[in-house]
Amino acid sequence: MKHLIDIKDLSTDEINELISVAKDIMSNPDKYAEKCKRKKLATLFYEPSTRTRLSFEAAMMELGGNVLGFSDATSSSVSKGESVSDTVKVVSGYADIIAMRHPKEGAPLVASLKSEIPIINAGDGGHNHPTQTLTDLLTIQCEKHRLNDLTIGVCGDLKFGRTVHSLIVAMSRYKNIKFVLISPKELEIPEYIKKDVLEKNNIEYIETNDIEEYMGKLDILYMTRVQKERFFNEEEYIRLKDSYILDKQKLENAKEDLCIMHPLPRVNEISVEVDDDKRACYFKQAKYGKYIRMALILKLLEIK
Amino acid sequence: MNIDSIQNGYVIDHIQAGESFNIYNYLNLGELDTQVAIIKNAKSKKSGRKDIIKIDEITDINLDILGYLDSNITVNKIVNGKIANKYHPKLPEKLVNIIKCKNPRCITSIEQELPHICELTDRENKVYRCKYCEEKVN
């Protein structure tokens, strides 16, 4: 039985296979409409994440399956003090697959050690969020038609932004990838990502605090939110949150086929005026998320 | 003071003086039925004083943890009264309930009776990371 806890759990071949299945689902949705008939997905969300939960639920519904679960810890037995291990053992008897979101890092791994059914990590604190990374990879593949030979700008909170860390780790598998790391000094990428991932894999990267400096070189611009919950000090959050707002003016020198991505939700780091630009891919990206989750559910349930 | 030499077993030597009881506990030597001698404050040419533990039986006891606790320790495996093998234990790949993860955002901070498991991720720099949250623990 396979789980998805960390994007590193998947080989490059497996990722490519998921992308291929997701693209086939997009082209032939009817073929997959009953693939998960009588199967149940349990969404165990110990902290609210409406977007991710709805994406998983929509994915299972489009495969003809059913969903059950809870959307925050106060409405579940965890409010009575039940452990993650006990909860998944119980839910293993009710569902066929679990998508778990938890504020504590490592909770889905603990769940996978006790569960009798596949576990999908739907985000564990600031740690991993592998289905977001798969979504990003599918988006890049669909929009750029390749995963090699790309210059990727990542902008915003690179210190706490787990989606950025996972994206860098995932893209390090592919050939001729370059990164432009755009952030204020306070939110620079951690040393261990530079040392253990970028330098270890001989990936070229540039660090800058100017969003426009390398704009013309980018194939992809991955914007991220400066997340309030990652700060201990509100003043610091207020000071930094507006540092890098993408608007039409900053895009003046950008390539015609730039792909602008964002894991969403957006606060104000991309001006609404950019939404109508053909290079804005972030809402499509959210839609791709549903298809890659469909592909993942099929894979983990071993349904062809 | 004389302690008999052993015929078959282990001599854990060059333990930092005063640490032998901790080592005894980490290795769960109290659970063995065999004779175990703890020698405190033995004379040492290198460090002045040292502790020694003698175990009077060859068991399948895992001594790898000694590599993490004190890299100066030497283990002498005694067979038929002679030293058959003398070595410094290597850093173990995994430590269970030896170091606690201090990351307040880690699941180990709330999950009942979850073992604290740390894995060696960088042998050169002796870096262990929590199995669950992957934070550095040492």
Side-chain angles (χ1 to χ4, degrees):
Chain A
M1 184 176 55
K2 196 164 171 70
H3 307 281
L4 179 61
I5 305 303
D6 186 320
I7 193 71
K8 295 194 288 286
D9 297 342
L10 294 171
S11 68
T12 306
D13 283 348
E14 286 176 310
I15 289 177
N16 294 342
E17 180 203 327
L18 284 171
I19 289 174
S20 162
V21 173
K23 287 169 84 173
D24 193 49
I25 294 170
M26 283 188 260
S27 307
N28 306 291
D30 290 347
K31 191 172 126 189
Y32 293 88
E34 295 203 342
K35 289 275 184 188
C36 284
K37 202 174 175 185
R38 296 199 188 91
K39 298 284 184 188
K40 282 169 283 179
L41 165 76
T43 50
L44 310 185
F45 275 53
Y46 289 78
E47 66 177 1
S49 174
T50 312
R51 189 177 315 273
T52 305
R53 185 171 54 83
L54 293 184
S55 178
F56 270 109
E57 292 184 356
M60 192 55 167
M61 286 174 183
E62 288 200 23
L63 291 167
N66 290 306
V67 293
L68 67 164
F70 54 83
S71 55
D72 73 83
T74 53
S75 62
S76 81
S77 51
V78 75
S79 63
K80 297 171 193 159
E82 187 176 56
S83 65
V84 166
S85 302
D86 284 4
T87 302
V88 296
K89 278 186 210 162
V90 172
V91 175
S92 289
Y94 300 154
D96 300 284
I97 186 165
I98 290 172
M100 176 183 282
R101 174 86 162 208
H102 202 291
K104 292 291 184 188
E105 298 169 9
L109 175 61
V110 171
S112 71
L113 299 173
K114 301 289 179 182
S115 177
E116 291 163 23
I117 59 175
I119 301 281
I120 301 171
N121 181 359
D124 57 338
H127 187 215
N128 283 318
H129 193 358
T131 59
Q132 179 65 53
T133 310
L134 288 173
T135 299
D136 298 342
L137 295 178
L138 177 62
T139 306
I140 295 171
Q141 178 63 51
C142 289
E143 296 299 317
K144 304 301 295 182
H145 310 292
R146 65 185 191 271
L147 289 166
N148 297 314
D149 306 313
L150 292 164
T151 300
I152 304 170
V154 283
C155 179
D157 175 4
L158 309 189
K159 184 176 181 181
F160 298 103
R162 65 179 169 199
T163 51
V164 169
H165 301 170
S166 302
L167 181 68
I168 292 173
V169 170
M171 290 308 295
S172 67
R173 303 162 182 242
Y174 298 98
K175 285 179 193 158
N176 196 21
I177 300 296
K178 292 174 189 156
F179 280 101
V180 178
L181 309 169
I182 310 154
S183 72
K185 191 153 183 45
E186 293 84 346
L187 296 175
E188 274 178 4
I189 202 102
E191 273 303 310
Y192 75 91
I193 297 282
K194 286 194 257 180
K195 189 168 165 269
D196 299 347
V197 184
L198 293 168
E199 287 162 23
K200 197 172 170 184
N201 292 293
N202 294 318
I203 294 171
E204 220 176 284
Y205 69 95
I206 299 165
E207 289 185 281
T208 177
N209 55 17
D210 182 352
I211 189 170
E212 289 176 85
E213 192 180 358
Y214 297 97
M215 187 64 84
K217 296 197 182 303
L218 304 180
D219 299 305
I220 291 163
L221 175 58
Y222 197 102
M223 298 294 294
T224 62
R225 182 164 58 106
V226 175
Q227 296 186 67
K228 192 176 179 180
E229 59 266 34
R230 304 285 174 236
F231 284 84
F232 291 108
N233 179 337
E234 190 158 355
E235 279 174 18
E236 201 173 280
Y237 165 71
I238 291 166
R239 187 172 66 82
L240 288 170
K241 76 179 170 72
D242 295 339
S243 298
Y244 298 90
I245 296 174
L246 185 68
D247 55 23
K248 277 189 171 173
Q249 195 201 327
K250 291 194 180 84
L251 284 168
E252 264 177 12
N253 293 323
K255 286 184 183 173
E256 276 302 301
D257 62 348
L258 172 73
C259 169
I260 305 167
M261 296 170 66
H262 190 300
L264 303 179
R266 158 180 63 180
V267 179
N268 60 355
E269 56 278 7
I270 301 176
S271 169
V272 176
E273 67 183 19
V274 177
D275 294 359
D276 296 330
D277 192 304
K278 67 179 173 52
R279 294 169 290 190
C281 297
Y282 30 94
F283 291 114
K284 274 194 268 182
Q285 187 182 350
K287 198 171 175 183
Y288 288 132
K290 178 184 70 180
Y291 294 115
I292 200 78
R293 289 181 176 103
M294 290 170 77
L296 179 66
I297 289 168
L298 290 173
K299 178 179 174 59
L300 296 183
L301 288 176
E302 296 175 10
I303 295 171
K304 293 282 178 193
Chain B
M1 188 173 80
N2 290 323
I3 305 265
D4 286 347
S5 56
I6 54 178
Q7 283 299 303
N8 293 294
Y10 299 96
V11 177
I12 304 170
D13 202 356
H14 302 292
I15 301 169
Q16 190 186 333
E19 286 299 311
S20 50
F21 276 107
N22 288 335
I23 302 274
Y24 180 91
N25 288 328
Y26 276 126
L27 295 176
N28 290 321
L29 296 181
E31 290 176 10
L32 293 180
D33 293 328
T34 189
Q35 289 188 86
V36 177
I38 296 176
I39 304 161
K40 279 187 70 182
N41 298 323
K43 282 180 191 163
S44 164
K45 282 180 196 164
K46 266 193 207 166
S47 52
R49 289 186 307 160
K50 63 179 180 180
D51 287 2
I52 302 168
I53 295 175
K54 291 188 175 188
I55 304 166
D56 193 19
E57 188 184 337
I58 293 173
T59 67
D60 56 0
I61 188 166
N62 186 352
L63 298 172
D64 288 349
I65 190 188
L66 298 173
Y68 171 73
L69 295 174
D70 184 349
S71 58
N72 291 320
I73 286 175
T74 51
V75 173
N76 300 287
K77 186 177 180 184
I78 312 291
V79 177
N80 297 325
K82 289 182 180 163
I83 296 174
N85 190 11
K86 182 174 183 171
Y87 62 97
H88 289 287
K90 279 187 196 163
L91 283 177
E93 291 292 332
K94 191 163 93 172
L95 295 170
V96 179
N97 289 332
I98 303 296
I99 328 173
K100 293 218 162 182
C101 179
K102 294 192 180 78
N103 175 8
R105 299 179 306 275
C106 179
I107 186 65
T108 51
S109 66
I110 57 164
E111 183 80 354
Q112 188 188 350
E113 293 170 48
L114 184 66
H116 285 244
I117 301 175
C118 302
E119 293 172 338
L120 183 63
T121 56
D122 181 351
R123 186 171 285 280
E124 199 180 322
N125 296 306
K126 299 183 179 178
V127 175
Y128 282 89
R129 289 184 184 273
C130 172
K131 176 187 172 79
Y132 307 102
C133 70
E134 298 181 274
E135 285 280 313
K136 257 189 197 179
V137 291
N138 61 334

